[in-house]
Amino acid sequence: MRLINICGARPNFMKIAPLMRAYREEPGIEPLLVHTGQHYDHKMSRLFFEELEIPRPDLNLEVGSGSHAQQTAVIMQRFEPVLLETGADAVLVVGDVNSTIACALVASKLGKAVFHVEAGLRSFDRSMPEEINRVLTDAISDLLFVSEPSGLDNLTREGTPADRIHFVGNVMIDTLERNRARAEDSHILADLGLASGTYGVITMHRPAAVDHPEIMAPLIQAFADIQRDLPLVFPVHPRTRARLTEAGLDRQIGELKNLRLIEPVGYLDFLKLMAHAALVLTDSGGMQEETTILGVPCLTLRENTERPVTLTRGTNELVGMDPARLLAGYRRIRQQPLRAADRPEKWDGQAARRIARILAEWRR
Ligand code: UD1
Ligand code: UDP
């Protein structure tokens, strides 16, 4: 089977890395890697290929940024001839970004098989672009690889035939487990003058928060309160950087002695930063899962999560975007940190192997 694997945005790279490695054990699979170019800064893309030893993409569609419709449409236009020319039999997509739905849709219309890794997750919040991407991608996928039990429940309830669904575990955790020891060699704590367990990490990039100064300003005020007690480091996503600058909020943050804005960092530095943090404040999807395995308390700045196992088995707590709830959550955690229960089922570093095995045996 000639299989095109799609990646495009930062959270895709951690998911694609273990898959590209696992295919080496399956001679029946001939993998190709296509990068859509949705993310393109060195620190949002290339750095991860180097650190995670992802093979150089066979092709980069170089779509860059744009509105949802523009970005999705350009990916589709550029991917269609590639799919035809390579004569691929199938396309594998991961996650929930625009590159995911765009390439799945092209493949499906050309009668190619579509495989979705991280299928079945639902926030039940259609105002999130990712939720639209998830629902649509799952609807046109031939095989749906599920990372946690809620994914099984959601797909079953939506009427997905059982023989298409495979509960395989979490490829993001494959990457975490593979790199955990290596990340300890990172010098990031020393470089930032931080000591283990004595600081917090922030990341935010969801449009629902960062595109609205009236939501961000009070949150930054809450960060200001927290940093008086616990130093905070905030690697800033490029969307967020642009919005903070537009709203003049970067200057306000600049006055806070213990809140450091830094550029996005590579996977190994970031893993070390998270692993040694007293807590993480984030709206990221993947980081809710990573902190669950690292046992680091995570306050998620959202009203919902498509990853409920991180609430029931992990260290995650939803605090929304209300500063009062965030501060109450912070005080609770400082008094009594959340402890993770047994790790979620099949989050054992072997998910990509299971997927490659199933693909090797798959016949339409
Ligand atoms: C995208 C995904 C989101 C994911 C996030 C992870 C969609 C709809 N959104 O959001 O699900 O959680 O990636 O990081 O697919 N930019 C740069 N350099 C880059 C990339 C982006 O400067 O390398 C800036 C551009 O101004 C761009 C903005 O960031 O307009 C947003 O990028 P985009 O890929 O559209 O969405 P993200 O917010 O990154
Ligand atoms: N990450 C990173 N450097 C950073 C911020 C995040 O390597 O500066 C990693 C993080 O550990 C996780 C992934 O990027 O593996 C999450 O990506 P992101 O938050 O962009 O997307 P989401 O998970 O929200 O879709």
Side-chain angles (χ1 to χ4, degrees):
M1 172 167 63
R2 185 171 290 174
L3 173 65
I4 299 190
N5 296 269
I6 303 296
C7 60
R10 178 168 67 186
N12 296 161
F13 307 133
M14 302 78 197
K15 297 169 194 172
I16 224 68
L19 288 164
M20 297 307 286
R21 192 168 288 111
Y23 297 143
R24 292 191 208 141
E25 290 164 35
E26 302 295 346
I29 300 177
E30 186 194 331
L32 294 168
L33 183 60
V34 170
H35 191 322
T36 64
Q38 178 173 345
H39 285 176
Y40 42 84
D41 290 347
H42 178 80
K43 288 179 173 149
M44 294 297 288
S45 174
R46 184 94 180 246
L47 183 52
F48 297 94
F49 282 76
E50 294 162 6
E51 290 192 339
L52 303 178
E53 297 167 325
I54 306 170
R56 201 188 161 84
D58 296 282
L59 196 77
N60 190 320
L61 304 177
E62 295 180 353
V63 300
S65 305
S67 70
H68 285 278
Q70 276 168 347
Q71 192 173 56
T72 310
V74 176
I75 297 172
M76 290 181 70
Q77 275 179 341
R78 295 192 186 171
F79 183 54
E80 184 177 55
V82 172
L83 186 48
L84 289 169
E85 282 158 25
T86 53
D89 307 293
V91 173
L92 179 140
V93 294
V94 298
D96 54 18
V97 301
N98 285 347
S99 302
T100 309
I101 177 61
C103 294
L105 194 49
V106 169
S108 164
K109 292 283 182 78
L110 288 175
K112 310 288 184 181
V114 178
F115 308 136
H116 186 203
V117 174
E118 213 179 78
L121 297 181
R122 298 286 181 269
S123 65
F124 304 102
D125 175 0
R126 295 262 172 125
S127 71
M128 283 180 84
E130 295 80 6
E131 183 75 352
I132 310 289
N133 294 342
R134 291 181 200 115
V135 169
L136 295 180
T137 304
D138 285 344
I140 55 173
S141 290
D142 293 270
L143 287 181
L144 299 102
F145 294 109
V146 168
S147 58
E148 64 160 84
S150 73
L152 276 178
D153 298 342
N154 294 332
L155 292 173
T156 305
R157 199 182 45 250
E158 289 171 14
T160 311
D163 59 351
R164 293 189 180 189
I165 310 173
H166 295 271
F167 178 28
V168 290
N170 191 332
V171 286
M172 195 112 184
I173 304 306
D174 290 10
T175 294
L176 185 144
E177 291 298 356
R178 187 180 169 86
N179 291 288
R180 219 167 156 170
R182 267 178 86 206
E184 282 306 308
D185 294 337
S186 153
H187 297 151
I188 184 104
L189 296 194
D191 293 349
L192 294 173
L194 298 169
S196 181
T198 64
Y199 64 91
V201 176
I202 305 176
T203 77
M204 291 195 76
H205 67 270
R206 301 269 161 222
V210 303
D211 288 4
H212 301 278
E214 70 281 11
I215 292 179
M216 276 311 278
L219 278 175
I220 288 168
Q221 191 48 52
F223 299 157
D225 290 350
I226 294 173
Q227 57 96 48
R228 276 194 271 278
D229 182 47
L230 185 77
L232 297 173
V233 53
F234 185 172
V236 188
H237 187 285
R239 169 193 287 277
T240 312
R241 173 73 71 181
R243 297 296 178 268
L244 291 178
T245 307
E246 278 162 25
L249 292 169
D250 54 344
R251 268 181 281 118
Q252 196 177 319
I253 294 175
E255 287 161 16
L256 302 172
K257 195 164 137 279
N258 286 326
L259 169 48
R260 293 263 293 272
L261 296 190
I262 60 172
E263 290 291 299
V265 298
Y267 185 80
L268 296 172
D269 282 344
F270 195 71
L271 184 49
K272 176 132 185 194
L273 262 185
M274 272 194 301
H276 290 267
L279 93 157
V280 166
L281 307 172
T282 191
D283 60 7
S284 159
M287 285 166 58
Q288 298 170 50
E289 301 181 332
E290 291 168 335
T291 48
T292 278
I293 295 303
L294 295 170
V296 173
C298 177
L299 295 180
T300 295
L301 302 158
R302 289 175 44 190
E303 296 295 344
N304 52 55
T305 179
E306 60 288 337
R307 293 160 159 91
V309 80
T310 62
L311 300 173
T312 53
R313 299 281 280 270
T315 50
N316 189 20
E317 190 181 331
L318 298 178
V319 291
M321 291 182 288
D322 170 6
R325 272 176 71 197
L326 166 56
L327 289 172
Y330 173 71
R331 282 190 287 270
R332 240 183 352 263
I333 279 187
R334 294 298 275 165
Q335 276 159 16
Q336 192 171 27
L338 292 166
R339 302 245 173 264
D342 291 343
R343 70 168 62 208
E345 205 182 333
K346 298 191 187 179
W347 288 22
D348 58 359
Q350 303 298 322
R353 280 218 175 108
R354 292 188 190 103
I355 292 170
R357 193 85 285 272
I358 293 164
L359 292 179
E361 286 170 6
W362 184 77
R363 299 285 173 276
R364 207 167 208 169

